[in-house]
Amino acid sequence: MAFVSPTAEQLGMYLGTAEIDGDRADLLIQQAVALAQSVVRPLPDDASAVVLSVAGRAYVNPQQVSYETIGPMSVQRPTGSGGLYLTKADKAALKSLAGRGGAFTVDPTPSSADPSPTWPVDEVFFGDEFEPGWS
């Protein structure tokens, strides 16, 4: 089964809003999918959770305001604010869903390897060089 991009309606359900701007939501979902594909391609089936998270973050807070005071107006934005982005956790989730990451072992031995020694094993070669019991 291939990845199916979430819909604007699903983004609205994810955010818990009754009404959602469909065109804007579709654009954000499309951009979130493209951003996710920069980490893992093709996207795994369950990547919709990460895509909805990225698109939802941008839909709810497009300017990425991190501090706000209503009183006499005060807003603080981080450097490079706005736009869609993947957090470190989003990238890790995508890699995990794709089956990447974690511990693994690489066996460099070729399948055609012969278990016999490659050096000359010969009584004539070694002679009586070894102590008794080490032959």
Side-chain angles (χ1 to χ4, degrees):
M1 191 171 147
F3 172 75
V4 178
S5 182
T7 63
E9 182 178 280
Q10 288 173 321
L11 181 61
M13 287 173 41
Y14 175 81
L15 296 174
T17 59
E19 292 184 22
I20 192 163
D21 181 359
D23 292 337
R24 181 170 171 242
D26 286 337
L27 174 66
L28 291 173
I29 290 169
Q30 178 185 4
Q31 295 302 309
V33 167
L35 200 58
Q37 285 177 336
S38 70
V39 176
V40 173
R41 184 179 291 243
L43 286 178
D45 298 342
D46 298 331
S48 60
V50 176
V51 170
L52 286 172
S53 174
V54 172
R57 192 167 41 239
Y59 189 88
V60 172
N61 191 4
Q63 295 178 349
Q64 305 305 320
V65 175
S66 64
Y67 176 78
E68 182 177 346
T69 303
I70 304 292
M73 297 278 300
S74 175
V75 174
Q76 178 182 354
R77 293 183 178 89
T79 308
S81 63
L84 275 80
Y85 62 92
L86 291 169
T87 64
K88 194 173 187 178
D90 292 336
K91 292 176 187 177
L94 285 171
K95 290 176 184 177
S96 177
L97 289 168
R100 290 204 243 155
F104 63 92
T105 304
V106 176
D107 184 7
T109 309
S111 60
S112 62
D114 186 10
S116 63
T118 57
W119 60 88
V121 178
D122 195 352
E123 291 296 324
V124 177
F125 179 75
F126 288 109
D128 293 333
E129 185 176 329
F130 299 109
E131 295 176 14
W134 288 96
S135 55

